[in-house]
């Protein structure tokens, strides 16, 4: 079986979206304040590693650039990748800005932590993981690695579950019934569904 053919426009869309996501991540990290107090979870690092493995499976591998860059298939592929990456970057920027100083790569709470329930968090509890999943899907399409999703998605899901279980544990410990009421009305990933 041969590799799924891809086009240069889709690869360019992925590269531009990936650069935008990376820059948004750098801005989010530089915007947050460091604090010596509060609780920080090292357990979520395992989740980060497993998520990363799932995403790496989709990124790594040969790429067969055989589509006519001016053809309809390459243009359609590029359009889908562009939309997915734009949604991913937009959701990440919106989420990290809404979280403000509460945002962090590793699960933790601060002594002055606030429960964020506005912006994208009014619709889903974990919008940044949704943004990451959109990036993973865009990558699989742009690189022609859709089959890698068969292993990559379950690994990403396990890593995400490790991270959210730790984040939610910390939030429940800090906010108690307030977090419980929020979790009861707002789904984790898809509004009104899951």
């Amino acid at each position: 079986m041969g590799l799924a053919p891809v086009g240069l426009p889709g690869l360019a869309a992925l590269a531009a979206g990936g650069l935008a996501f990376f820059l948004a991540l750098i801005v989010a990290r530089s915007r947050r304040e460091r604090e010596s107090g509060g609780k920080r979870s090292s357990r979520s690092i395992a989740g980060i590693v497993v998520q990363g493995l799932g995403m790496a499976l989709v990124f790594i591998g040969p790429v067969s650039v055989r589509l006519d860059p001016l053809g309809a298939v390459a243009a359609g592929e590029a359009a889908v990748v562009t939309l997915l990456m734009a949604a991913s970057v937009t959701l990440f920027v919106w989420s990290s800005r809404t979280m403000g100083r509460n945002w962090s790569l590793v699960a933790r709470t601060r002594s002055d932590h606030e429960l964020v329930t506005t912006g994208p968090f009014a619709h889903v509890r974990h919008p940044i993981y949704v943004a990451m999943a959109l990036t993973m899907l865009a990558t699989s399409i742009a690189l022609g690695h859709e089959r890698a999703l068969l292993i990559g998605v379950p690994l990403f899901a396990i890593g995400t579950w490790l991270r959210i279980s730790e984040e939610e544990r910390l939030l429940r410990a800090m906010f108690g019934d307030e977090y419980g009421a929020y979790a009861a009305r707002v789904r984790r990933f898809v509004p009104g569904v899951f």
Side-chain angles (χ1 to χ4, degrees):
M1 290 246 188
L3 295 171
V6 298
L8 288 174
L11 293 172
L14 179 65
L19 179 61
F21 198 100
F22 178 73
L23 292 174
L25 181 65
I26 297 299
V27 168
R29 280 192 55 89
S30 68
R31 190 180 23 207
R32 74 179 175 90
E33 299 172 19
R34 298 195 185 271
E35 183 191 80
S36 57
K39 295 181 181 177
R40 183 178 185 91
S41 168
S42 60
R43 183 173 174 234
S44 69
I45 292 172
I48 292 170
V49 170
V50 175
Q51 274 182 326
L53 288 173
M55 292 187 87
L57 283 174
V58 175
F59 276 86
I60 296 170
V63 177
S64 177
V65 183
R66 292 184 288 153
L67 295 178
D68 175 5
L70 301 177
V73 176
E77 175 189 83
V80 169
V81 171
T82 299
L83 288 172
L84 288 170
M85 289 306 296
S88 175
V89 171
T90 300
L91 190 53
F92 176 78
V93 168
W94 187 23
S95 301
S96 63
R97 283 181 172 260
T98 301
M99 288 184 79
R101 67 177 182 257
N102 293 322
W103 183 82
S104 175
L105 283 176
V106 178
R108 57 105 171 112
T109 55
R110 302 163 48 100
S111 58
D112 63 346
H113 203 95
E114 300 169 3
L115 181 59
V116 179
T117 60
T118 60
F121 299 94
H123 308 286
V124 294
R125 296 197 315 258
H126 301 284
I128 291 176
Y129 299 139
V130 174
M132 291 169 63
L134 292 173
T135 295
M136 189 171 168
L137 181 58
T139 301
S140 73
I141 293 167
L143 300 178
H145 294 169
E146 290 90 347
R147 288 185 192 164
L149 291 174
L150 293 173
I151 298 172
V153 167
L155 278 175
F156 181 81
I158 291 167
T160 299
W161 181 252
L162 287 170
R163 293 183 76 182
I164 66 169
S165 63
E166 190 65 6
E167 290 168 8
E168 291 182 357
R169 183 189 67 75
L170 290 171
L171 291 170
R172 282 184 197 282
M174 185 162 210
F175 296 105
D177 291 341
E178 183 182 3
Y179 183 78
Y182 168 66
R185 75 174 184 274
V186 177
R187 299 288 184 206
R188 285 189 172 112
F189 306 110
V190 179
V193 180
F194 175 65

